Amino acid sequence: MLSTLKESRWLIVIFTLLMASQAFGHGMSEAEKQIIIEGGNLRYIWIGATHMLSGYDHLAFIFGIIFFLTRFKDIVKYITAFTLGHSITLIYATFTALQVNYFLIDAVIALSVCYIAFANLNGFEKYLNVKAPNMMAMIFGLGLIHGLGLSTRLQQLPLSEDSLLMNIISFNVGIELGQVSALAVMLLLIAAFRESHAFKSFTKAANSFLIVAGGYLFLMQMHGYEHVANAEEFVSKAEPAQVTQKPEATNRADWNDVITITIPPRGEKEYKLLFAKDTTFEYLWETNGVKLFYDFHGEPKGDKTGYFKSFKKNTESISSGTLTTLFEGTHGWYWKNNTSSAVDIVLKIKGDYQRLDLMKKQMNSNKQHDSIF
């Protein structure tokens, strides 16, 4: 009995450290973003699976769901309700670009962990003297909330407008694979422990811990939300120069062109310049702080094969540099806006080049002039 409690304490310490490490780990890492940028739907499956397996709040909720379930039929029933719930909001929110503050949504998810553990301890009847809400309905409803959190993560990736549905489905397949893997391990551990005479004590200790851990995570998320909210309030009141760190090149007066480009919500645009070979030029572009996926690349003049050379791609709100062209042809940027609002880009360029947008305008003007006569 004593050794079992000691082992439980060690598990609690480890789980606490894992949850604390994830409390402010919102969004995808740059490494994950780069993996998605380079690959197809298999990459989305992989990211979905790894994201679920590292999502300790989601896993804690699943652990609470299956804690007392012994029949396979019941396990399938409740997990299906949770899966349907988070799948619906994941698909809907991503399609409609619906975004919720990630600190707030994770705070609610933390409370869902508290709820499921409190229900496992018969807290409604024992402490509140009320009948517990229908568990199936609550799991489905809380699944909807978990889906918003998953969608928030997915929308931080460069999604393809043409393959958006497949991107979402692939990510969700990965989520389910990760969920099934974690569920299998949980069921084996609980089944092995259920035979122990200490299972009753373990039940009380584990679910009490889930309530404390969920509450702790809730407070951390609310602290993070307050920190972000205060930062946004400061930004809105301050002068841009006081809150935006910009390269020295931003304030130069010798740029050849300063161009404003608007990327529509969930839209994409390219901007190209024509260069001779071995031409060196400088550039700087920035948004008002919104991060966009971009690909800085070039295409040789006269190429009919679709070849292009990518020089730099990432997800950022500002980028600058110098490039010496390897070939004669067009060079420029492709931007993808995954947010629900239009984003303005200010592009500054210095060098020997021709602007394709001005060349097209001139050609259209000449055609109209010729048509008069």
Side-chain angles (χ1 to χ4, degrees), residues 275-287:
F275 291 91
K277 184 180 179 182
D278 297 324
T279 300
T280 299
F281 73 101
E282 299 176 67
Y283 68 90
L284 180 148
W285 65 263
E286 60 181 329
T287 70

Side-chain angles (χ1 to χ4, degrees), residues 128-333:
L128 302 180
N129 293 319
V130 297
K131 185 179 179 180
N134 182 275
M135 182 59 73
M136 180 69 72
M138 290 303 300
I139 288 175
F140 177 76
L142 293 171
L144 294 173
I145 295 172
H146 281 246
L148 288 176
L150 296 171
S151 177
T152 299
R153 304 301 189 273
L154 180 57
Q155 290 185 63
Q156 293 173 350
L157 296 174
L159 301 171
S160 168
E161 196 68 28
D162 296 332
S163 304
L164 181 59
L165 179 59
M166 285 306 302
N167 291 164
I168 297 172
I169 291 175
S170 298
F171 181 78
N172 202 32
V173 167
I175 290 292
E176 303 316 322
L177 290 175
Q179 180 174 284
V180 169
S181 300
L183 183 62
V185 174
M186 291 177 190
L187 288 171
L188 288 174
L189 290 175
I190 292 176
F193 211 87
R194 199 184 301 276
E195 305 302 322
S196 169
H197 64 280
F199 183 70
K200 186 176 181 180
S201 299
F202 174 73
T203 295
K204 186 174 182 180
N207 283 283
S208 297
F209 166 70
L210 285 181
I211 293 175
V212 173
Y216 172 68
L217 187 56
F218 169 78
L219 293 176
M220 292 192 71
Q221 301 300 347
M222 293 307 297
H223 174 74
Y225 172 72
E226 182 183 9
H227 178 76
V228 170
N230 289 340
E232 289 176 349
E233 182 179 358
F234 171 76
V235 169
S236 66
K237 293 180 179 178
E239 294 295 328
Q242 292 177 293
V243 298
T244 305
Q245 297 294 327
K246 300 179 180 179
E248 293 181 2
T250 302
N251 298 319
R252 284 172 37 180
D254 61 341
W255 295 104
N256 290 17
D257 286 292
V258 178
I259 305 152
T260 299
I261 304 163
T262 300
I263 315 295
R266 299 299 294 270
E268 53 193 28
K269 274 193 179 180
E270 278 192 318
Y271 190 86
K272 297 293 185 63
L273 305 165
L274 183 61
F275 291 91
K277 184 180 179 182
D278 297 324
T279 300
T280 299
F281 73 101
E282 299 176 67
Y283 68 90
L284 180 148
W285 65 263
E286 60 181 329
T287 70
N288 61 348
V290 178
K291 291 185 177 182
L292 301 177
F293 166 67
Y294 70 93
D295 187 340
F296 177 39
H297 60 279
E299 297 109 344
K301 182 179 180 180
D303 181 78
K304 303 296 184 181
T305 65
Y307 168 82
F308 68 95
K309 170 70 175 177
S310 185
F311 307 112
K312 186 179 181 181
K313 50 186 172 181
N314 208 333
T315 302
E316 296 176 320
S317 61
I318 184 170
S319 179
S320 63
T322 301
L323 177 71
T324 299
T325 59
L326 303 175
F327 45 76
E328 178 184 4
T330 57
H331 295 69
W333 299 264

Side-chain angles (χ1 to χ4, degrees), residues 3 35-37 74-75 82 97 121 142 155 160 166 191 209 296 305 315 357 373:
S3 62
I35 289 174
I36 287 292
I37 289 168
D74 291 332
I75 294 171
F82 177 64
L121 294 173
L142 293 171
Q155 290 185 63
S160 168
M166 285 306 302
F209 166 70
F296 177 39
T305 65
T315 302
D357 57 336
F373 301 97

Side-chain angles (χ1 to χ4, degrees), residues 1-57:
M1 177 74 171
L2 183 62
S3 62
T4 300
L5 291 176
K6 287 182 178 180
E7 290 175 3
S8 299
R9 288 173 187 170
W10 277 111
L11 289 172
I12 289 172
V13 170
I14 294 171
F15 192 42
T16 301
L17 291 174
L18 290 172
M19 290 185 74
S21 70
Q22 291 294 317
F24 292 102
H26 294 99
M28 302 288 180
S29 68
E30 289 303 317
E32 287 176 319
K33 289 179 181 178
Q34 201 63 37
I35 289 174
I36 287 292
I37 289 168
E38 298 291 344
N41 290 312
L42 287 177
R43 305 286 190 176
Y44 285 88
I45 293 175
W46 173 255
I47 291 295
T50 56
H51 183 66
M52 172 54 79
L53 290 174
S54 64
Y56 301 107
D57 45 3

